Amino acid sequence: MTIPKSFFAGSWVNVNEDGVEEYFKAKGAPWIVRKAINAVTQTFTWTDLGGGKYSVEYKTPVSTTTYEFRLDEEFIGKRFDSSDYKILITVECDLIVQRFEKVGNSDEPVEVYTFGIEGDKMVQARFDT
């Protein structure tokens, strides 16, 4: 399977992410912190590097993170908290699915994000497993 070509149409600005407020509320984040997280603009850029390899760049006003990966192959990457995570990126029904599992901490749930293209917008949703 490959990433749908519609993802490579430039950069995507995340204007609404389903489930973020509920996630951080469940984690005990104060109301003001949840509002600040929701206010941050995040830009995603997906790139086909050829040969079955891809990259995704996440850019916020304070940081940029880039992962190079192959679909269905787990790798270790750092996240916003500088911790190592096992990351698996797959494609399911024209959605990109990302799974993040914190290395060495089995108490935390696996975070799952889905990305889909609806018209001229990229839609992101977040779940815990």
Side-chain angles (χ1 to χ4, degrees):
M1 190 155 247
T2 62
I3 292 178
K5 295 197 183 308
S6 55
F7 282 91
F8 306 122
S11 295
W12 300 92
V13 176
N14 185 21
V15 294
N16 184 16
E17 182 180 340
D18 293 337
V20 169
E21 173 113 16
E22 294 81 11
Y23 169 75
F24 283 104
K25 185 176 183 179
K27 291 260 186 194
W31 177 87
I32 191 72
V33 171
R34 296 193 314 264
K35 294 304 174 192
I37 290 168
N38 273 333
V40 170
T41 300
Q42 189 173 25
T43 303
F44 301 86
T45 305
W46 302 88
T47 306
D48 186 343
L49 302 174
K53 198 167 189 180
Y54 301 94
S55 73
V56 59
E57 177 186 78
Y58 306 98
K59 192 177 226 177
T60 70
V62 295
S63 69
T64 300
T65 302
T66 303
Y67 300 124
E68 289 189 7
F69 62 94
R70 293 181 184 278
L71 291 174
D72 303 311
E73 292 183 13
E74 189 175 83
F75 62 95
I76 302 293
K78 297 219 181 274
R79 300 224 18 233
F80 59 89
D81 64 357
S82 298
S83 296
D84 287 332
Y85 285 80
K86 291 189 261 183
I87 303 168
L88 179 64
I89 301 175
T90 61
V91 172
E92 300 171 18
C93 301
D94 289 335
L95 296 175
I96 295 175
V97 180
Q98 296 179 322
R99 292 171 177 81
F100 294 90
E101 181 179 354
K102 195 168 192 175
V103 174
N105 191 345
S106 61
D107 293 339
E108 288 195 25
V110 174
E111 297 176 30
V112 179
Y113 295 84
T114 61
F115 300 88
I117 304 298
E118 293 181 5
D120 63 349
K121 293 183 172 44
M122 184 180 75
V123 178
Q124 177 182 4
R126 187 194 178 298
F127 312 92
D128 283 341
T129 61

